[in-house]
Amino acid sequence: MERFRLFTTQPIEGPRATLRVDASRPATFTIDRRIFGNFLEHLGGCVYGGVWGQILLNSSFERDPRISRDVARLPWPWEPLGDVKATAVKMAANSELSARLEGRGPEAGVRQRVFLPSHRESRYEGYLYLRAEGDVNRVQVSLRNARDGGEPLAQAELQGIPGTFRRFPFRLQVDPEEAPPLRPVDFCVTFTGPGTVWVDQVLLFPRDAVHGIDPDIIKVAKDWNIPLLRYPGGNFVSGYHWRDGIGPRDQRPSYPNPAWDGMETNQFSTDEFMRFCGLIDAKPHFCVNIGTGTPDEAASWVEYMNGRADTPMGRMRAENGHAKPYGVKLWEVGNEIYGEWQIGHCSALENARRYRAFSQAMLRVDPSLELIGNGEAADNDWNQTLIRECGPLLRHISLHPLVSLPGGLQDRFSLEEIYYSSMAHPWDFEDRFLPNLRSQIQADARTPDNVTAAITEWGIIVGGEWGETLRYPHAENQGGAVYSGCFLNALIRSGEIVSVANITGLLHGGGMKKRREKVYVDPMYWALKLYADSGAHKAVATAVEGACYSVPRRGFLPAVERVPYLDVVACLNRSGSELTLFVTNRHLKQDQEATLELEGFRFEGGRMRTLEAPGMLQRNSEEDPDRIRPRDSVLTDRGTSLQCRFPACSVNAITLRRAQPKA
Ligand code: AHR
């Protein structure tokens, strides 16, 4: 493989390294920008409470039996307010349950504690469905100060409540001084008893939401320069039925998320996701349900996305406001279907059978699709079965080389040992697993040689309690950023065998965060952005002479030898006018000094971006969002060599401008 011919490491002692880059020896493959892809899943606060700007959770009052079966109480996160008997019972306004509020005193109702994006917007609009029994004719919708005895910050009065459900729009405006950012407020629906009011489908949007999508999320995601966005899961997809999520939003069903905590209201789904992709200039990458779904269901989704407006599903799409086919090319057939945590998990042979059935049905609708079969990053036999059974139908094989920390390692190894083993993982994956997969593909006569790996989830994720993310390297701290630098370098060097990759993830794992309606980013966001912004087009020959370390097998993490502290790739942009070096220093404590020696490239100035932090566990928060972000410096040197210093535990990008030949 070119990876072994063009990129070499020579271990030497001491913290001074030499980086030899030969720009006249480019790789034969170009860098597929899709390796800087991302992943959005219906999980936690990623979609509801994340991308989707609607502020209230469980807007249709459904009960999640995994949280409570207590029918005498309102479902999470709704709470009764005042003198009321509040229950959620079947009386559907286009959903299963509705809140029944039997008011007895001067004030009765429901409330939900929320945060407002007051840093940018003070105006809100929404609607709810109401019906009344008895003498109640008026209902108030309000935002109240949660800390200050419930003083109203804004209120709207709705009159003429009928005996059958009717939709009532409302508008609210708060004074930002009275409702500063990050402070809780209560959203309340109240009336004067005695009497009974039924409430359902309560939605509250900031007025600046863009077609329902959070404008802060749009801005930060767009700045991220995401070429490709995978959706809707993840584990979620194996219980997802796309038809639930199209058409008028009020008529879409709500139910517990099949894979994760929380409710799935289907308010954000296919068309909303496509809108989001358009707003952030990302290409969509869909994953279909092979857990509880059928080949027909997947094929009809393809027709909904790509069929002409005179096909049955294309017509449905046109009726939903999108006459022009979306033309989505990249489709993944199933998610981690090998794992017993996956809904509908199965054997390797059954995965191959499903892949054949699903891919044939999907390709019948659109033969131009680029499909990804469900592979396994820790099991060559699994992949061998897929290759043997489905070779001619394959284009990509998915892998999820996720590192889940602490994953039991915490009882046997020190934090430093866990760190160094984790940072060696990308090296091992690149050095051993990917070349082996390539050999498996090449050895099978019926499998086209251009079948590549699609690393549709990667990163250090939580393999324990969520709170533990603070104590180990993780996608949300600087350790995750260093891991990203190592992993992205590995992907660039492995361009012959990898053409798609999606980090975990847009709003979970390392990426963007939205807490208390404030959007901020993890260090890993910046690491990825250094690459996505660079215009890197072709890697060139790079030899690193520098200090290395070796780790023994530690739990699920492999033994790896000769891992360089400085992980380096060098890439030319498309025109050859710029050379960018991506350098990650894995060393936890020592800065690394390096001499860069260039062949085939004389430079004249440039810039350096450095993402460093005072330790691997450092992170950003909604209160301190800019703690870790890249530092930029201008380089005024010229010639063919450069002295550089790479701080401990850092990710760096040095971009050098090619010197113009003298006239
Ligand atoms: O990203 C969270 C989960 O991690 C995904 O749903 C699953 O595919 C992976 O194991």
Side-chain angles (χ1 to χ4, degrees), residues 357-511:
F358 275 76
S359 60
Q360 284 170 345
M362 293 164 75
L363 288 167
R364 257 197 302 277
V365 176
D366 182 348
S368 74
L369 299 186
E370 195 178 332
L371 297 182
I372 304 174
N374 196 157
E376 220 295 35
D379 187 347
N380 294 326
D381 293 344
W382 177 281
N383 300 331
Q384 190 60 51
T385 306
L386 186 63
I387 291 166
R388 188 189 65 227
E389 298 291 319
C390 301
L393 285 171
L394 287 173
R395 178 67 190 84
H396 305 288
I397 298 174
S398 72
L399 302 174
H400 289 182
L402 293 160
V403 174
S404 1
L405 290 181
L409 303 184
Q410 72 277 26
D411 304 329
R412 296 151 60 201
F413 305 105
S414 71
L415 177 57
E416 258 190 40
E417 287 171 330
I418 294 175
Y419 170 87
Y420 280 116
S421 279
S422 308
M423 299 308 146
H425 172 263
W427 193 256
D428 177 68
F429 182 65
E430 159 189 14
D431 222 28
R432 218 172 36 84
F433 193 88
L434 288 175
N436 186 62
L437 180 68
R438 185 153 169 82
S439 308
Q440 286 177 289
I441 291 165
Q442 285 176 332
D444 188 90
R446 295 165 60 242
T447 303
D449 273 356
N450 66 354
V451 170
T452 60
I455 314 222
T456 59
E457 288 182 41
W458 66 266
I460 304 182
I461 61 164
V462 184
E465 291 300 312
W466 285 98
E468 284 182 307
T469 60
L470 295 170
R471 294 194 279 131
Y472 301 94
H474 182 262
E476 292 177 2
N477 58 33
Q478 179 71 3
V482 173
Y483 181 89
S484 303
C486 300
F487 198 86
L488 290 168
N489 280 359
L491 293 184
I492 290 177
R493 287 187 290 257
S494 308
E496 273 171 299
I497 172 76
V498 182
S499 43
V500 169
N502 316 70
I503 71 147
T504 298
L506 193 82
L507 276 127
H508 76 291

Side-chain angles (χ1 to χ4, degrees), residues 305 307-310 314-315 317-326:
M305 300 312 290
R308 290 201 329 237
D310 57 0
R315 190 169 310 119
R317 183 196 61 240
E319 282 163 15
N320 290 335
H322 309 275
K324 200 164 158 240
Y326 286 122

Side-chain angles (χ1 to χ4, degrees), residues 106 108 130-141 155-162 168 189-197:
L130 292 169
R131 78 181 269 260
E133 285 167 19
D135 288 340
V136 183
N137 194 35
R138 286 182 308 190
V139 165
Q140 292 80 36
V141 173
Q155 179 161 309
E157 175 138 307
L158 311 172
Q159 299 193 2
I161 316 298
F168 285 86
V189 181
T190 48
F191 61 96
T192 302
T196 299
V197 169

Side-chain angles (χ1 to χ4, degrees), residues 50-121:
V51 172
W52 195 230
Q54 204 277 115
I55 287 172
L56 302 167
L57 292 176
N58 196 5
S59 44
S60 55
F61 296 91
E62 302 314 316
R63 178 170 290 111
D64 184 346
R66 299 167 303 186
I67 296 180
S68 164
R69 291 178 181 274
D70 186 353
V71 289
R73 294 175 63 120
L74 284 174
W76 178 90
W78 293 100
E79 289 175 32
L81 176 62
D83 192 359
V84 68
K85 182 176 170 205
T87 49
V89 288
K90 219 172 168 107
M91 168 54 73
N94 310 322
S95 64
E96 270 293 288
L97 302 181
S98 310
R100 180 176 190 276
L101 310 172
E102 206 179 312
R104 295 176 287 217
E107 182 170 79
V110 277
R111 65 165 192 195
Q112 182 175 141
R113 187 139 298 177
V114 297
F115 293 88
L116 301 176
S118 308
H119 58 281
R120 53 154 225 264
E121 181 57 285

